[in-house]
Amino acid sequence: MADIAKVRAAADVVKAQLNEKLKTDIAALTSADIDEAVSLLEKTGINPGEVQNLKAEIARSTNKNQTIARVLDTPGVLCEQVKSIIGKIVK
């Protein structure tokens, strides 16, 4: 039977690799893509407060792509929603 710590470590490595690829995808998003992502988050977001905070942060940001990519470093529901939405936009 595999050691659970080894399995978790391997999963963490894969997750980090996927997040890095997604950060590259986010860096290539246009302003229209970002607007679409924020709009989808507003419609489907589980935590409207977090979505509004992110929307305000993006509006103030000089690098909107970087602001969205930063969300990937903060585990939680918003992070998972952003991953899902970006995955749909990039395809």
Side-chain angles (χ1 to χ4, degrees):
M1 190 165 174
D3 182 16
I4 192 72
K6 289 180 183 177
V7 171
R8 284 186 180 151
D12 288 343
V13 168
V14 170
K15 185 175 179 180
Q17 290 170 339
L18 290 173
N19 281 353
E20 287 306 312
K21 188 211 179 294
L22 197 54
K23 285 180 182 179
T24 301
D25 292 342
I26 289 171
L29 294 177
T30 65
S31 290
D33 293 334
I34 292 171
D35 291 343
E36 180 183 354
V38 170
S39 178
L40 287 169
L41 270 175
E42 286 181 305
K43 292 176 187 171
T44 62
I46 292 174
N47 187 335
E50 281 186 337
V51 172
Q52 290 306 313
N53 289 342
L54 178 61
K55 182 179 177 181
E57 187 177 347
I58 289 169
R60 291 187 309 267
S61 178
T62 56
N63 187 336
K64 297 172 184 348
N65 303 62
Q66 188 177 36
T67 301
I68 293 175
R70 182 197 49 77
V71 173
L72 299 181
D73 296 330
T74 311
V77 175
L78 183 62
C79 174
E80 295 306 316
Q81 290 174 320
V82 167
K83 286 179 183 181
S84 174
I85 289 170
I86 299 303
K88 291 174 186 173
I89 290 173
V90 170
K91 286 184 179 182

Coordinates of all heavy atoms in Angstrom, one line a residue:
M1 N 0.8 -1.2 0.0 CA 0.0 0.0 0.0 C 0.9 1.2 0.0 O 1.9 1.3 0.7 CB -0.9 0.0 1.2 CG -2.0 1.0 1.2 SD -3.1 0.5 2.5 CE -4.2 1.8 2.5
A2 N 0.5 2.2 -0.8 CA 1.4 3.4 -1.0 C 1.3 4.3 0.3 O 0.2 4.3 0.9 CB 0.9 4.2 -2.2
D3 N 2.4 4.9 0.6 CA 2.4 5.8 1.7 C 1.6 7.1 1.3 O 1.9 7.7 0.3 CB 3.9 6.2 2.0 CG 4.0 7.1 3.2 OD1 3.1 7.3 4.0 OD2 5.1 7.6 3.3
I4 N 0.6 7.4 2.1 CA -0.3 8.6 1.8 C 0.5 9.9 1.6 O 0.1 10.7 0.8 CB -1.4 8.7 2.8 CG1 -2.5 9.6 2.3 CG2 -0.9 9.1 4.2 CD1 -3.3 9.1 1.2
A5 N 1.6 10.0 2.4 CA 2.4 11.3 2.3 C 3.0 11.4 0.9 O 3.1 12.5 0.3 CB 3.4 11.3 3.4
K6 N 3.4 10.2 0.3 CA 4.0 10.2 -1.0 C 3.0 10.5 -2.1 O 3.3 11.3 -3.0 CB 4.7 8.9 -1.3 CG 6.0 8.6 -0.5 CD 6.6 7.3 -0.8 CE 7.8 7.0 0.0 NZ 8.3 5.7 -0.3
V7 N 1.8 10.0 -1.9 CA 0.7 10.3 -2.8 C 0.3 11.7 -2.8 O 0.2 12.4 -3.8 CB -0.5 9.4 -2.5 CG1 -1.7 9.8 -3.4 CG2 -0.2 7.9 -2.7
R8 N 0.2 12.3 -1.6 CA -0.1 13.7 -1.5 C 1.0 14.6 -2.1 O 0.7 15.6 -2.7 CB -0.3 14.1 0.0 CG -1.6 13.6 0.5 CD -1.9 14.1 1.9 NE -3.2 13.6 2.4 CZ -3.5 13.4 3.6 NH1 -2.6 13.6 4.6 NH2 -4.7 13.0 3.9
A9 N 2.2 14.2 -1.8 CA 3.3 15.0 -2.4 C 3.3 15.0 -3.9 O 3.5 16.0 -4.6 CB 4.7 14.5 -1.9
A10 N 3.1 13.8 -4.5 CA 3.0 13.7 -5.9 C 1.8 14.5 -6.5 O 1.9 15.2 -7.5 CB 2.8 12.2 -6.3
A11 N 0.7 14.5 -5.8 CA -0.5 15.3 -6.2 C -0.2 16.8 -6.1 O -0.6 17.6 -7.0 CB -1.7 15.0 -5.3
D12 N 0.6 17.2 -5.1 CA 0.9 18.6 -5.0 C 1.8 19.0 -6.1 O 1.7 20.2 -6.7 CB 1.6 18.9 -3.7 CG 0.7 18.8 -2.5 OD1 -0.5 18.9 -2.7 OD2 1.2 18.7 -1.3
V13 N 2.7 18.2 -6.6 CA 3.6 18.5 -7.7 C 2.8 18.6 -9.0 O 3.0 19.6 -9.7 CB 4.7 17.4 -7.9 CG1 5.4 17.5 -9.2 CG2 5.7 17.4 -6.7
V14 N 1.9 17.7 -9.2 CA 1.1 17.8 -10.4 C 0.2 19.1 -10.4 O 0.1 19.8 -11.4 CB 0.2 16.6 -10.6 CG1 -0.9 16.7 -11.7 CG2 1.0 15.3 -10.8
K15 N -0.4 19.4 -9.2 CA -1.2 20.6 -9.1 C -0.4 21.8 -9.4 O -0.8 22.7 -10.1 CB -1.8 20.6 -7.7 CG -2.8 21.8 -7.5 CD -3.4 21.7 -6.2 CE -4.4 22.9 -6.0 NZ -5.0 22.8 -4.7
A16 N 0.8 21.9 -8.9 CA 1.7 23.0 -9.1 C 2.1 23.2 -10.6 O 2.1 24.3 -11.1 CB 3.0 22.9 -8.3
Q17 N 2.3 22.1 -11.3 CA 2.6 22.1 -12.7 C 1.4 22.6 -13.5 O 1.6 23.4 -14.4 CB 3.0 20.7 -13.2 CG 4.3 20.3 -12.7 CD 4.6 18.8 -13.0 OE1 3.7 18.0 -13.2 NE2 5.9 18.4 -13.0
L18 N 0.2 22.2 -13.1 CA -1.0 22.6 -13.8 C -1.2 24.1 -13.6 O -1.6 24.8 -14.5 CB -2.2 21.8 -13.4 CG -2.2 20.4 -13.8 CD1 -3.4 19.6 -13.1 CD2 -2.3 20.3 -15.3
N19 N -1.0 24.6 -12.3 CA -1.1 26.0 -12.0 C -0.2 26.8 -12.8 O -0.5 27.9 -13.3 CB -1.0 26.2 -10.5 CG -2.2 25.9 -9.7 OD1 -3.3 25.6 -10.3 ND2 -2.1 25.9 -8.4
E20 N 1.1 26.4 -13.0 CA 2.0 27.1 -13.8 C 1.6 27.2 -15.3 O 1.8 28.3 -15.9 CB 3.4 26.5 -13.7 CG 4.1 26.7 -12.3 CD 4.2 28.2 -11.9 OE1 4.6 29.0 -12.8 OE2 3.8 28.5 -10.8
K21 N 1.1 26.1 -15.8 CA 0.6 26.2 -17.2 C -0.6 27.2 -17.3 O -0.7 27.9 -18.2 CB 0.1 24.8 -17.7 CG -0.2 24.9 -19.2 CD -1.2 23.9 -19.6 CE -1.6 24.0 -21.1 NZ -2.2 25.2 -21.5
L22 N -1.5 27.1 -16.3 CA -2.6 28.0 -16.3 C -2.2 29.5 -16.2 O -2.8 30.4 -16.8 CB -3.6 27.7 -15.2 CG -5.0 28.2 -15.3 CD1 -5.6 27.9 -16.6 CD2 -5.8 27.7 -14.1
K23 N -1.1 29.7 -15.4 CA -0.6 31.1 -15.3 C -0.1 31.6 -16.7 O -0.3 32.8 -17.0 CB 0.5 31.2 -14.3 CG 0.0 31.1 -12.8 CD 1.2 31.2 -11.8 CE 0.7 31.1 -10.4 NZ 1.7 31.1 -9.4
T24 N 0.5 30.7 -17.4 CA 0.9 31.0 -18.8 C -0.3 31.4 -19.6 O -0.3 32.4 -20.4 CB 1.7 29.9 -19.4 OG1 2.8 29.6 -18.6 CG2 2.2 30.2 -20.8
D25 N -1.3 30.6 -19.5 CA -2.6 30.9 -20.3 C -3.2 32.2 -19.8 O -3.6 33.0 -20.7 CB -3.6 29.7 -20.0 CG -3.2 28.4 -20.6 OD1 -2.3 28.4 -21.5 OD2 -3.7 27.4 -20.2
I26 N -3.1 32.5 -18.6 CA -3.7 33.7 -18.0 C -2.9 34.9 -18.6 O -3.5 36.0 -18.9 CB -3.7 33.7 -16.5 CG1 -4.8 32.8 -16.0 CG2 -4.0 35.1 -15.9 CD1 -4.8 32.5 -14.5
A27 N -1.6 34.8 -18.6 CA -0.7 35.9 -19.1 C -1.1 36.2 -20.6 O -0.9 37.4 -21.0 CB 0.7 35.5 -19.0
A28 N -1.6 35.3 -21.3 CA -2.0 35.5 -22.7 C -3.4 36.0 -22.9 O -3.8 36.3 -24.1 CB -1.8 34.2 -23.5
L29 N -4.2 36.2 -21.9 CA -5.5 36.7 -22.0 C -5.6 38.1 -22.4 O -4.7 38.9 -22.0 CB -6.3 36.5 -20.7 CG -6.5 35.1 -20.1 CD1 -7.2 35.2 -18.8 CD2 -7.4 34.3 -21.1
T30 N -6.6 38.4 -23.2 CA -6.8 39.8 -23.7 C -7.7 40.5 -22.7 O -8.3 39.8 -21.8 CB -7.5 39.9 -25.0 OG1 -8.8 39.3 -24.9 CG2 -6.6 39.1 -26.1
S31 N -7.9 41.8 -22.8 CA -8.8 42.5 -21.9 C -10.2 42.0 -22.0 O -10.9 41.9 -21.1 CB -8.7 44.0 -22.2 OG -7.5 44.6 -21.8
A32 N -10.6 41.7 -23.3 CA -11.9 41.1 -23.5 C -12.1 39.8 -22.8 O -13.2 39.5 -22.2 CB -12.2 41.0 -25.0
D33 N -11.0 39.0 -22.8 CA -11.1 37.7 -22.1 C -11.2 37.9 -20.6 O -12.0 37.2 -20.0 CB -9.8 36.9 -22.4 CG -9.6 36.4 -23.8 OD1 -10.7 36.2 -24.5 OD2 -8.5 36.2 -24.2
I34 N -10.5 38.8 -20.1 CA -10.6 39.1 -18.7 C -12.0 39.6 -18.3 O -12.5 39.2 -17.3 CB -9.5 40.1 -18.3 CG1 -8.1 39.4 -18.4 CG2 -9.7 40.6 -16.8 CD1 -6.9 40.3 -18.2
D35 N -12.5 40.5 -19.1 CA -13.9 41.0 -18.9 C -14.9 39.8 -18.9 O -15.8 39.8 -18.1 CB -14.3 42.0 -19.9 CG -13.5 43.3 -19.8 OD1 -12.9 43.6 -18.7 OD2 -13.5 44.1 -20.7
E36 N -14.7 38.9 -19.8 CA -15.6 37.7 -19.9 C -15.4 36.9 -18.7 O -16.4 36.4 -18.1 CB -15.3 36.9 -21.1 CG -16.1 35.7 -21.3 CD -15.7 34.8 -22.5 OE1 -14.9 35.2 -23.3 OE2 -16.3 33.7 -22.6
A37 N -14.2 36.7 -18.2 CA -14.0 35.9 -17.0 C -14.6 36.5 -15.8 O -15.3 35.8 -15.0 CB -12.5 35.7 -16.8
V38 N -14.5 37.8 -15.6 CA -15.1 38.5 -14.5 C -16.6 38.4 -14.6 O -17.3 38.2 -13.6 CB -14.6 40.0 -14.4 CG1 -15.4 40.7 -13.4 CG2 -13.1 40.0 -14.1
S39 N -17.2 38.6 -15.8 CA -18.6 38.5 -16.0 C -19.1 37.1 -15.6 O -20.1 37.0 -14.9 CB -19.0 38.8 -17.4 OG -20.3 38.7 -17.6
L40 N -18.4 36.1 -16.0 CA -18.8 34.7 -15.6 C -18.7 34.5 -14.1 O -19.6 33.8 -13.5 CB -18.0 33.7 -16.4 CG -18.3 33.5 -17.9 CD1 -17.2 32.7 -18.6 CD2 -19.7 32.9 -18.1
L41 N -17.7 35.0 -13.5 CA -17.5 34.9 -12.1 C -18.7 35.6 -11.4 O -19.2 35.1 -10.4 CB -16.2 35.5 -11.6 CG -15.0 34.6 -11.6 CD1 -13.8 35.4 -11.2 CD2 -15.2 33.5 -10.6
E42 N -19.1 36.7 -11.8 CA -20.2 37.5 -11.2 C -21.5 36.7 -11.3 O -22.3 36.7 -10.4 CB -20.4 38.8 -11.9 CG -19.3 39.8 -11.5 CD -19.6 41.2 -12.1 OE1 -19.7 41.3 -13.3 OE2 -19.6 42.2 -11.3
K43 N -21.7 36.0 -12.4 CA -22.9 35.2 -12.6 C -22.9 33.9 -11.9 O -24.0 33.4 -11.4 CB -23.1 34.9 -14.1 CG -23.4 36.1 -15.0 CD -23.5 35.8 -16.4 CE -23.6 37.0 -17.3 NZ -23.5 36.7 -18.7
T44 N -21.7 33.3 -11.8 CA -21.7 31.9 -11.2 C -20.9 31.8 -9.9 O -20.9 30.7 -9.3 CB -21.0 30.9 -12.2 OG1 -19.7 31.4 -12.5 CG2 -21.8 30.9 -13.5
G45 N -20.3 32.9 -9.4 CA -19.5 32.8 -8.2 C -20.3 32.4 -7.0 O -21.4 32.9 -6.8
I46 N -19.7 31.5 -6.2 CA -20.3 31.1 -5.0 C -20.3 32.1 -3.9 O -21.2 32.3 -3.1 CB -19.7 29.8 -4.5 CG1 -20.0 28.6 -5.5 CG2 -20.1 29.4 -3.1 CD1 -19.3 27.4 -5.3
N47 N -19.2 32.9 -3.9 CA -19.0 33.9 -2.9 C -19.0 35.3 -3.5 O -17.9 35.7 -4.0 CB -17.7 33.7 -2.1 CG -17.6 34.6 -0.9 OD1 -18.1 35.7 -0.9 ND2 -16.8 34.2 0.1
P48 N -20.1 35.9 -3.6 CA -20.2 37.2 -4.3 C -19.3 38.3 -3.7 O -18.7 39.1 -4.5 CB -21.7 37.7 -4.2 CG -22.4 36.4 -3.9 CD -21.4 35.5 -3.1
G49 N -19.0 38.3 -2.5 CA -18.1 39.2 -1.8 C -16.7 39.1 -2.4 O -16.0 40.1 -2.7
E50 N -16.2 37.9 -2.5 CA -14.9 37.6 -3.0 C -14.8 38.0 -4.5 O -13.8 38.6 -4.9 CB -14.5 36.1 -2.9 CG -14.0 35.7 -1.5 CD -13.5 34.3 -1.5 OE1 -13.9 33.5 -2.4 OE2 -12.8 33.9 -0.6
V51 N -15.8 37.8 -5.2 CA -15.9 38.1 -6.6 C -15.8 39.6 -6.8 O -15.0 40.2 -7.6 CB -17.1 37.5 -7.3 CG1 -17.2 38.1 -8.7 CG2 -17.0 36.0 -7.3
Q52 N -16.6 40.3 -6.0 CA -16.6 41.8 -6.1 C -15.2 42.4 -5.6 O -14.7 43.4 -6.2 CB -17.7 42.4 -5.2 CG -19.1 42.1 -5.8 CD -19.2 42.6 -7.2 OE1 -18.8 43.7 -7.6 NE2 -19.8 41.7 -8.1
N53 N -14.6 41.8 -4.6 CA -13.3 42.2 -4.2 C -12.2 42.0 -5.4 O -11.4 42.9 -5.6 CB -12.8 41.5 -3.0 CG -13.5 41.9 -1.7 OD1 -14.2 43.0 -1.7 ND2 -13.5 41.1 -0.7
L54 N -12.3 40.9 -6.0 CA -11.4 40.6 -7.1 C -11.7 41.5 -8.3 O -10.8 42.1 -8.9 CB -11.6 39.1 -7.6 CG -10.7 38.7 -8.8 CD1 -9.2 38.9 -8.5 CD2 -11.0 37.3 -9.2
K55 N -13.0 41.8 -8.6 CA -13.3 42.7 -9.6 C -12.8 44.1 -9.4 O -12.2 44.7 -10.3 CB -14.8 42.8 -9.8 CG -15.3 43.6 -10.9 CD -16.8 43.7 -11.0 CE -17.3 44.6 -12.1 NZ -18.8 44.6 -12.2
A56 N -12.9 44.6 -8.1 CA -12.3 45.9 -7.8 C -10.8 45.9 -7.9 O -10.2 46.9 -8.4 CB -12.8 46.3 -6.4
E57 N -10.2 44.8 -7.5 CA -8.7 44.7 -7.5 C -8.3 44.7 -9.0 O -7.3 45.4 -9.3 CB -8.2 43.5 -6.8 CG -6.7 43.4 -6.7 CD -6.3 42.2 -6.0 OE1 -7.1 41.5 -5.3 OE2 -5.1 41.9 -6.1
I58 N -9.0 44.0 -9.9 CA -8.6 44.0 -11.3 C -8.8 45.4 -11.9 O -8.0 45.8 -12.7 CB -9.5 43.0 -12.0 CG1 -9.1 41.6 -11.6 CG2 -9.4 43.2 -13.5 CD1 -10.0 40.5 -12.1
A59 N -9.9 46.1 -11.5 CA -10.1 47.4 -12.0 C -9.0 48.4 -11.6 O -8.6 49.3 -12.4 CB -11.4 48.0 -11.5
R60 N -8.4 48.2 -10.5 CA -7.3 49.1 -10.0 C -6.0 48.7 -10.5 O -5.0 49.5 -10.5 CB -7.3 49.1 -8.5 CG -8.4 49.8 -7.7 CD -8.2 49.8 -6.2 NE -7.8 48.6 -5.6 CZ -8.6 47.7 -5.1 NH1 -9.9 47.9 -5.0 NH2 -8.1 46.6 -4.5
S61 N -5.9 47.5 -11.0 CA -4.6 46.9 -11.3 C -4.0 47.5 -12.7 O -4.8 47.7 -13.6 CB -4.7 45.4 -11.4 OG -3.5 44.8 -11.8
T62 N -2.7 47.6 -12.7 CA -2.1 47.9 -14.0 C -1.7 46.7 -14.8 O -1.5 46.8 -16.0 CB -0.8 48.7 -13.7 OG1 0.1 48.0 -12.9 CG2 -1.1 50.1 -13.1
N63 N -1.8 45.5 -14.1 CA -1.5 44.3 -14.8 C -2.6 43.3 -14.4 O -2.5 42.5 -13.5 CB -0.2 43.7 -14.5 CG 0.2 42.5 -15.3 OD1 -0.7 41.8 -15.8 ND2 1.5 42.2 -15.4
K64 N -3.7 43.3 -15.1 CA -4.9 42.6 -14.8 C -4.6 41.1 -14.9 O -5.1 40.3 -14.1 CB -6.1 42.9 -15.7 CG -6.5 44.4 -15.6 CD -7.5 44.8 -16.6 CE -8.0 46.2 -16.6 NZ -7.7 47.1 -15.5
N65 N -3.8 40.6 -15.8 CA -3.5 39.2 -16.0 C -2.8 38.7 -14.7 O -3.1 37.6 -14.2 CB -2.6 39.0 -17.2 CG -3.3 39.5 -18.5 OD1 -3.5 40.7 -18.6 ND2 -3.5 38.6 -19.4
Q66 N -1.9 39.5 -14.2 CA -1.1 39.1 -13.0 C -2.0 39.1 -11.8 O -1.9 38.2 -10.9 CB 0.0 40.2 -12.8 CG 0.9 39.8 -11.7 CD 2.1 40.8 -11.5 OE1 1.9 42.0 -11.7 NE2 3.3 40.2 -11.2
T67 N -3.0 39.9 -11.7 CA -4.0 39.9 -10.6 C -4.8 38.6 -10.6 O -5.0 38.0 -9.6 CB -4.9 41.1 -10.7 OG1 -4.1 42.3 -10.7 CG2 -5.9 41.2 -9.5
I68 N -5.2 38.2 -11.8 CA -6.0 37.0 -11.9 C -5.0 35.8 -11.6 O -5.4 34.8 -10.9 CB -6.6 36.8 -13.3 CG1 -7.7 37.9 -13.4 CG2 -7.2 35.4 -13.5 CD1 -8.3 37.9 -14.8
A69 N -3.8 35.8 -12.1 CA -2.9 34.7 -11.8 C -2.6 34.6 -10.3 O -2.4 33.5 -9.8 CB -1.6 34.9 -12.6
R70 N -2.6 35.7 -9.6 CA -2.3 35.6 -8.2 C -3.4 34.8 -7.4 O -3.1 34.2 -6.4 CB -2.3 37.1 -7.6 CG -2.0 37.1 -6.1 CD -2.4 38.5 -5.5 NE -3.7 39.0 -5.8 CZ -4.8 38.5 -5.3 NH1 -4.8 37.5 -4.4 NH2 -6.0 39.1 -5.6
V71 N -4.6 34.8 -7.9 CA -5.7 34.0 -7.3 C -5.3 32.6 -7.2 O -5.7 31.9 -6.3 CB -7.0 34.3 -8.1 CG1 -8.1 33.3 -7.5 CG2 -7.4 35.7 -8.0
L72 N -4.5 32.1 -8.2 CA -4.2 30.7 -8.2 C -3.3 30.3 -7.0 O -3.2 29.1 -6.6 CB -3.4 30.3 -9.5 CG -4.2 30.5 -10.8 CD1 -3.3 30.1 -12.0 CD2 -5.5 29.8 -10.8
D73 N -2.6 31.3 -6.4 CA -1.8 31.0 -5.2 C -2.6 31.0 -3.9 O -2.0 30.8 -2.9 CB -0.7 32.1 -5.2 CG 0.3 32.0 -6.4 OD1 0.4 30.9 -6.9 OD2 0.8 33.1 -6.8
T74 N -3.9 31.3 -4.0 CA -4.7 31.4 -2.8 C -5.8 30.3 -2.9 O -6.8 30.4 -3.6 CB -5.4 32.7 -2.7 OG1 -4.5 33.8 -2.9 CG2 -6.1 32.9 -1.4
P75 N -5.5 29.1 -2.3 CA -6.4 28.0 -2.5 C -7.8 28.4 -1.9 O -7.9 29.1 -1.0 CB -5.8 26.9 -1.6 CG -4.5 27.3 -1.1 CD -4.4 28.8 -1.5
G76 N -8.8 27.9 -2.5 CA -10.2 28.1 -2.1 C -11.2 28.0 -3.3 O -10.8 27.7 -4.4
V77 N -12.4 28.3 -3.0 CA -13.5 28.2 -4.0 C -13.2 29.2 -5.1 O -13.4 28.8 -6.3 CB -14.8 28.5 -3.3 CG1 -15.9 28.5 -4.4 CG2 -15.1 27.4 -2.3
L78 N -12.8 30.4 -4.8 CA -12.6 31.4 -5.9 C -11.5 30.9 -6.8 O -11.6 31.0 -8.1 CB -12.3 32.8 -5.3 CG -12.1 33.9 -6.3 CD1 -13.4 34.1 -7.1 CD2 -11.6 35.2 -5.7
C79 N -10.5 30.3 -6.3 CA -9.4 29.8 -7.1 C -9.9 28.7 -8.0 O -9.6 28.7 -9.2 CB -8.3 29.2 -6.2 SG -6.9 28.4 -7.0
E80 N -10.7 27.8 -7.5 CA -11.2 26.7 -8.4 C -12.1 27.3 -9.4 O -12.1 26.8 -10.6 CB -11.9 25.7 -7.5 CG -11.0 25.0 -6.5 CD -9.8 24.3 -7.2 OE1 -9.9 23.7 -8.3 OE2 -8.6 24.5 -6.7
Q81 N -12.9 28.3 -9.1 CA -13.8 28.9 -10.1 C -13.0 29.6 -11.2 O -13.3 29.4 -12.4 CB -14.8 29.8 -9.4 CG -15.8 29.2 -8.6 CD -16.6 30.1 -7.8 OE1 -16.2 31.1 -7.3 NE2 -17.9 29.8 -7.7
V82 N -12.0 30.3 -10.8 CA -11.1 31.0 -11.8 C -10.5 29.9 -12.7 O -10.5 30.1 -13.9 CB -10.1 31.9 -11.1 CG1 -9.0 32.3 -12.1 CG2 -10.8 33.1 -10.5
K83 N -10.0 28.9 -12.2 CA -9.4 27.8 -13.0 C -10.4 27.3 -14.0 O -10.0 27.1 -15.2 CB -8.9 26.6 -12.1 CG -7.7 26.9 -11.3 CD -7.4 25.7 -10.5 CE -6.2 25.9 -9.6 NZ -5.9 24.7 -8.8
S84 N -11.6 27.0 -13.6 CA -12.6 26.5 -14.4 C -12.9 27.4 -15.6 O -13.0 27.1 -16.7 CB -13.8 26.1 -13.6 OG -14.9 25.7 -14.5
I85 N -13.1 28.7 -15.2 CA -13.5 29.7 -16.2 C -12.4 29.9 -17.2 O -12.6 30.0 -18.4 CB -14.0 31.0 -15.5 CG1 -15.3 30.8 -14.8 CG2 -14.0 32.2 -16.5 CD1 -15.8 31.9 -13.9
I86 N -11.2 30.1 -16.7 CA -10.0 30.3 -17.6 C -9.9 29.1 -18.5 O -9.6 29.3 -19.7 CB -8.7 30.6 -16.8 CG1 -8.9 31.9 -15.9 CG2 -7.5 30.7 -17.8 CD1 -9.3 33.1 -16.7
G87 N -10.1 27.9 -18.0 CA -10.0 26.7 -18.8 C -11.0 26.7 -20.0 O -10.7 26.3 -21.1
K88 N -12.2 27.3 -19.7 CA -13.2 27.4 -20.8 C -12.9 28.4 -21.8 O -13.1 28.3 -23.0 CB -14.6 27.6 -20.1 CG -15.1 26.5 -19.3 CD -16.4 26.9 -18.6 CE -16.8 25.7 -17.7 NZ -17.9 26.1 -16.8
I89 N -12.3 29.6 -21.3 CA -12.0 30.7 -22.2 C -10.8 30.3 -23.1 O -10.8 30.7 -24.3 CB -11.7 32.0 -21.4 CG1 -13.0 32.5 -20.8 CG2 -11.1 33.0 -22.3 CD1 -12.8 33.6 -19.8
V90 N -9.8 29.7 -22.6 CA -8.6 29.3 -23.3 C -8.9 28.3 -24.4 O -8.2 28.3 -25.4 CB -7.5 28.9 -22.3 CG1 -6.3 28.4 -23.1 CG2 -7.1 30.1 -21.5
K91 N -9.8 27.4 -24.2 CA -10.1 26.3 -25.1 C -10.5 26.8 -26.5 O -11.0 27.7 -26.9 CB -11.1 25.3 -24.6 CG -10.4 24.5 -23.5 CD -11.4 23.4 -23.0 CE -10.7 22.6 -22.0 NZ -11.5 21.5 -21.5

